[in-house]
Protein backbone atom coordinates (compact mmCIF):
# COMPACT_ATOMS: atom_id res chain seq x y z
CA UNK A 1 0.00 0.00 0.00
CA UNK A 2 1.07 3.61 -0.45
CA UNK A 3 0.75 5.99 2.47
CA UNK A 4 0.19 9.62 1.50
CA UNK A 5 0.94 11.13 4.90
CA UNK A 6 4.25 9.28 5.31
CA UNK A 7 5.50 9.60 8.89
CA UNK A 8 9.02 11.10 8.97
CA UNK A 9 9.59 11.55 12.71
CA UNK A 10 8.58 13.99 15.40
CA UNK A 11 9.81 17.33 16.70
CA UNK A 12 8.61 16.41 20.21
CA UNK A 13 10.57 14.51 22.83
CA UNK A 14 10.44 10.76 23.16
CA UNK A 15 9.06 7.94 21.10
CA UNK A 16 5.93 8.39 18.98
CA UNK A 17 4.62 5.05 20.29
CA UNK A 18 2.83 6.71 23.20
CA UNK A 19 1.07 9.11 20.84
CA UNK A 20 -1.03 6.43 19.15
CA UNK A 21 -4.67 6.37 20.16
CA UNK A 22 -7.32 3.82 19.25
CA UNK A 23 -10.51 5.16 17.68
CA UNK A 24 -13.58 3.38 16.36
CA UNK A 25 -14.94 3.91 12.85
CA UNK A 26 -18.71 3.58 12.46
CA UNK A 27 -20.17 1.36 9.74
CA UNK A 28 -21.83 4.44 8.21
CA UNK A 29 -18.54 5.93 6.94
CA UNK A 30 -18.72 6.37 3.18
CA UNK A 31 -15.10 6.08 2.02
CA UNK A 32 -12.22 3.65 2.32
CA UNK A 33 -9.91 4.60 5.20
CA UNK A 34 -6.34 3.47 5.76
CA UNK A 35 -2.81 4.39 6.83
CA UNK A 36 -1.86 7.92 5.84
CA UNK A 37 -5.39 9.31 5.97
CA UNK A 38 -6.32 12.39 7.99
CA UNK A 39 -9.23 11.75 10.34
CA UNK A 40 -11.48 13.86 12.51
CA UNK A 41 -13.18 12.84 15.75
CA UNK A 42 -16.95 12.77 15.21
CA UNK A 43 -18.13 13.41 18.75
CA UNK A 44 -19.80 10.01 18.88
CA UNK A 45 -18.78 6.93 20.79
CA UNK A 46 -18.93 3.32 19.69
CA UNK A 47 -20.94 0.61 21.48
CA UNK A 48 -17.72 -0.23 23.36
CA UNK A 49 -17.28 3.36 24.53
CA UNK A 50 -14.41 4.31 22.17
CA UNK A 51 -14.52 7.72 20.46
CA UNK A 52 -15.22 7.56 16.75
CA UNK A 53 -13.40 9.17 13.80
CA UNK A 54 -14.19 9.58 10.12
CA UNK A 55 -12.50 11.15 7.09
CA UNK A 56 -10.82 14.45 7.96
CA UNK A 57 -11.53 17.97 6.82
CA UNK A 58 -9.69 20.10 4.25
CA UNK A 59 -9.81 23.50 5.91
CA UNK A 60 -10.21 23.08 9.68
CA UNK A 61 -8.97 21.03 12.64
CA UNK A 62 -8.28 17.31 12.27
CA UNK A 63 -7.54 14.78 15.02
CA UNK A 64 -4.54 13.05 13.47
CA UNK A 65 -3.31 10.59 10.84
CA UNK A 66 -4.18 6.88 10.70
CA UNK A 67 -1.05 4.82 11.31
CA UNK A 68 -2.72 1.40 11.07
CA UNK A 69 -6.03 -0.43 10.94
CA UNK A 70 -6.72 -3.08 13.55
CA UNK A 71 -7.71 -6.28 11.77
CA UNK A 72 -11.05 -7.86 12.46
CA UNK A 73 -10.01 -11.50 12.82
CA UNK A 74 -13.51 -12.88 12.14
CA UNK A 75 -13.67 -13.51 8.39
CA UNK A 76 -11.02 -11.00 7.39
CA UNK A 77 -7.73 -11.54 5.60
CA UNK A 78 -4.95 -10.35 7.87
CA UNK A 79 -3.21 -8.81 4.88
CA UNK A 80 -5.93 -6.14 4.49
CA UNK A 81 -4.37 -2.83 5.59
CA UNK A 82 -7.43 -0.62 5.11
CA UNK A 83 -11.00 -0.32 6.36
CA UNK A 84 -13.57 -0.78 3.58
CA UNK A 85 -16.40 1.72 3.16
CA UNK A 86 -19.50 0.96 5.24
CA UNK A 87 -17.48 -1.33 7.52
CA UNK A 88 -17.08 -0.74 11.25
CA UNK A 89 -13.63 -1.17 12.74
CA UNK A 90 -10.85 0.32 14.84
CA UNK A 91 -7.89 2.41 13.72
CA UNK A 92 -4.73 3.60 15.44
CA UNK A 93 -4.28 7.34 14.97
CA UNK A 94 -1.07 9.28 15.54
CA UNK A 95 -2.25 12.28 17.61
CA UNK A 96 1.24 13.81 18.03
CA UNK A 97 0.83 17.45 16.96
CA UNK A 98 4.60 17.62 16.34
CA UNK A 99 4.70 14.59 14.00
CA UNK A 100 6.20 15.31 10.58
CA UNK A 101 4.73 13.85 7.39
CA UNK A 102 5.89 13.84 3.79
CA UNK A 103 2.92 14.53 1.51
CA UNK A 104 2.26 15.16 -2.17
CA UNK A 105 1.22 18.70 -3.11
CA UNK A 106 -1.75 19.41 -5.38
CA UNK A 107 -2.21 22.68 -7.27
CA UNK A 108 1.53 23.20 -6.89
CA UNK A 109 4.34 23.24 -6.81
CA UNK A 110 4.74 25.18 -3.60
CA UNK A 111 7.52 27.78 -3.51
CA UNK A 112 10.18 28.35 -0.85
CA UNK A 113 8.27 31.40 0.42
CA UNK A 114 5.51 28.97 1.53
CA UNK A 115 7.73 27.31 4.15
CA UNK A 116 6.49 28.33 7.60
CA UNK A 117 2.99 29.08 6.34
CA UNK A 118 -0.15 26.98 6.77
CA UNK A 119 -2.24 25.34 4.05
CA UNK A 120 -5.43 23.41 3.44
CA UNK A 121 -5.35 19.63 3.19
CA UNK A 122 -6.50 17.51 0.28
CA UNK A 123 -9.01 15.14 1.86
CA UNK A 124 -10.15 12.50 -0.59
CA UNK A 125 -11.13 8.94 0.33
CA UNK A 126 -8.57 6.26 -0.43
CA UNK A 127 -8.84 3.79 -3.27
CA UNK A 128 -8.20 0.06 -3.46
CA UNK A 129 -6.72 -1.66 -6.48
CA UNK A 130 -6.55 -5.41 -6.03
CA UNK A 131 -5.39 -5.73 -2.45
CA UNK A 132 -3.41 -2.46 -2.46
CA UNK A 133 -4.71 0.57 -0.57
CA UNK A 134 -3.76 4.02 -1.88
CA UNK A 135 -4.32 7.09 0.29
CA UNK A 136 -5.33 10.11 -1.80
CA UNK A 137 -4.66 12.82 0.76
CA UNK A 138 -2.02 15.54 0.82
CA UNK A 139 -1.38 19.27 0.99
CA UNK A 140 -3.07 21.90 -1.17
CA UNK A 141 -0.90 24.74 -2.50
CA UNK A 142 -4.04 26.80 -3.15
CA UNK A 143 -4.93 28.77 -0.04
CA UNK A 144 -1.48 28.91 1.58
CA UNK A 145 -1.69 31.62 4.26
CA UNK A 146 -0.81 32.63 7.82
CA UNK A 147 -4.33 31.63 8.97
CA UNK A 148 -4.08 29.69 12.25
CA UNK A 149 -7.14 27.53 11.55
CA UNK A 150 -5.66 25.89 8.44
CA UNK A 151 -4.96 22.22 9.19
CA UNK A 152 -1.36 21.85 7.95
CA UNK A 153 1.93 23.69 8.67
CA UNK A 154 4.51 23.61 5.86
CA UNK A 155 7.86 22.72 7.46
CA UNK A 156 10.00 22.11 4.35
CA UNK A 157 9.78 21.39 0.64
CA UNK A 158 11.16 18.33 -1.09
CA UNK A 159 11.69 17.20 -4.66
CA UNK A 160 9.36 14.72 -6.33
CA UNK A 161 10.60 11.77 -8.40
CA UNK A 162 11.06 14.10 -11.41
CA UNK A 163 13.30 16.43 -9.38
CA UNK A 164 10.73 19.25 -9.05
CA UNK A 165 11.07 21.08 -5.72
CA UNK A 166 7.71 21.84 -4.08
CA UNK A 167 5.63 18.98 -5.46
CA UNK A 168 6.27 17.21 -2.14
CA UNK A 169 6.12 18.95 1.25
CA UNK A 170 7.09 18.09 4.80
CA UNK A 171 4.15 19.11 7.00
CA UNK A 172 2.74 18.69 10.48
CA UNK A 173 -0.88 18.86 11.59
CA UNK A 174 -1.30 22.50 12.67
CA UNK A 175 -4.86 22.86 13.92
CA UNK A 176 -6.05 19.74 15.78
CA UNK A 177 -9.15 18.85 17.73
CA UNK A 178 -7.06 18.99 20.90
CA UNK A 179 -4.80 22.00 20.15
CA UNK A 180 -5.35 25.41 18.58
CA UNK A 181 -3.29 26.09 15.47
CA UNK A 182 -0.38 28.49 15.27
CA UNK A 183 -0.37 31.46 12.92
CA UNK A 184 1.89 30.86 9.94
CA UNK A 185 5.18 32.71 9.70
CA UNK A 186 5.28 35.00 6.68
Amino acid sequence: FYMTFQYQGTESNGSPDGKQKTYAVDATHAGVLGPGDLVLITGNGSATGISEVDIGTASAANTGVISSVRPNIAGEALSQTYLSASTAGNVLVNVDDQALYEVPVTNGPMVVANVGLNCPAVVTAGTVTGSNFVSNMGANATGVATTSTLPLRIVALREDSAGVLGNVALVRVNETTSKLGATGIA
Side-chain angles (χ1 to χ4, degrees):
F1 71 93
Y2 178 76
M3 188 182 322
T4 304
F5 273 73
Q6 293 184 26
Y7 180 74
Q8 301 293 305
T10 182
E11 293 181 325
S12 65
N13 292 328
S15 168
D17 296 339
K19 297 169 179 94
Q20 305 293 315
K21 186 171 179 182
T22 300
Y23 288 96
V25 177
D26 191 74
T28 60
H29 75 98
V32 178
L33 290 173
D37 282 351
L38 278 169
V39 290
L40 172 64
I41 196 166
T42 64
N44 297 325
S46 69
T48 58
I50 299 173
S51 296
E52 292 181 349
V53 293
D54 203 346
I55 193 167
T57 179
S59 58
N62 286 291
T63 300
V65 176
I66 295 177
S67 54
S68 64
V69 174
R70 292 219 169 146
N72 177 357
I73 305 302
E76 183 175 301
L78 295 179
S79 62
Q80 185 170 324
T81 60
Y82 57 90
L83 189 60
S84 299
S86 303
T87 304
N90 290 314
V91 293
L92 279 174
V93 176
N94 186 345
V95 295
D96 178 7
D97 62 8
Q98 296 297 310
L100 299 171
Y101 300 96
E102 185 176 270
V103 298
V105 173
T106 59
N107 301 316
M110 288 184 177
V111 296
V112 293
N114 296 149
V115 174
L117 294 173
N118 300 326
C119 70
V122 173
V123 182
T124 305
T127 53
V128 176
T129 304
S131 62
N132 293 325
F133 169 76
V134 177
S135 176
N136 295 314
M137 298 192 181
N140 191 342
T142 301
V144 170
T146 59
T147 310
S148 64
T149 55
L150 288 171
L152 302 176
R153 165 66 57 95
I154 305 159
V155 177
L157 300 179
R158 295 196 172 160
E159 293 181 354
D160 64 7
S161 59
V164 178
L165 182 68
N167 279 339
V168 176
L170 188 65
V171 300
R172 69 175 176 254
V173 179
N174 180 53
E175 172 92 340
T176 76
T177 54
S178 60
K179 176 191 82 62
L180 294 175
T183 301
I185 302 165

